[in-house]
Amino acid sequence: PRLVLTVSPQVGSYRDISYESLSLFRLLEPHIEILVLGTGDRVERLHPAMLRQMRECGIAVEVQDTPNACATFNFLTSEQRMVAAGLIPP
């Protein structure tokens, strides 16, 4: 399986994360199962409607602080899962 790690230049803060800013992840082929989002130094709450929209597209979103998001991404790739990561530097 092909695995992708992405850092988006349009997203400088967790406040910039939106359904639109995550559009790249919905276009990937093969389709990803899980999107791991690292929100910097702390876990930040994202808008529930945006998370629901991603689930409706078949993508589960896991939100963590960035160091833990990196570890989760590595773990999921070791399990051969179709996963991508969007990471905001801590």
Side-chain angles (χ1 to χ4, degrees):
R2 186 169 53 134
L3 306 169
V4 179
L5 175 63
T6 302
V7 179
S8 174
Q10 297 94 346
V11 176
S13 161
Y14 76 94
R15 291 178 190 91
D16 300 325
I17 299 173
S18 66
Y19 185 71
E20 293 76 26
S21 72
L22 299 178
S23 63
L24 167 69
F25 298 107
R26 295 189 305 275
L27 299 173
L28 292 174
E29 288 294 333
H31 186 75
I32 63 169
E33 304 170 41
I34 303 169
L35 173 58
V36 181
L37 293 177
T39 56
D41 290 323
R42 302 181 337 200
V43 177
E44 301 290 351
R45 293 187 58 108
L46 300 182
H47 199 283
M50 184 271 300
L51 297 172
R52 185 178 59 250
Q53 289 173 312
M54 292 299 286
R55 276 193 311 274
E56 289 170 357
C57 292
I59 300 173
V61 179
E62 180 69 35
V63 181
Q64 301 178 338
D65 62 84
T66 298
N68 283 314
C70 291
T72 298
F73 176 84
N74 289 334
F75 176 77
L76 292 170
T77 58
S78 75
E79 291 190 332
Q80 304 300 309
R81 303 290 296 271
M82 294 305 297
V83 60
L87 306 170
I88 298 171

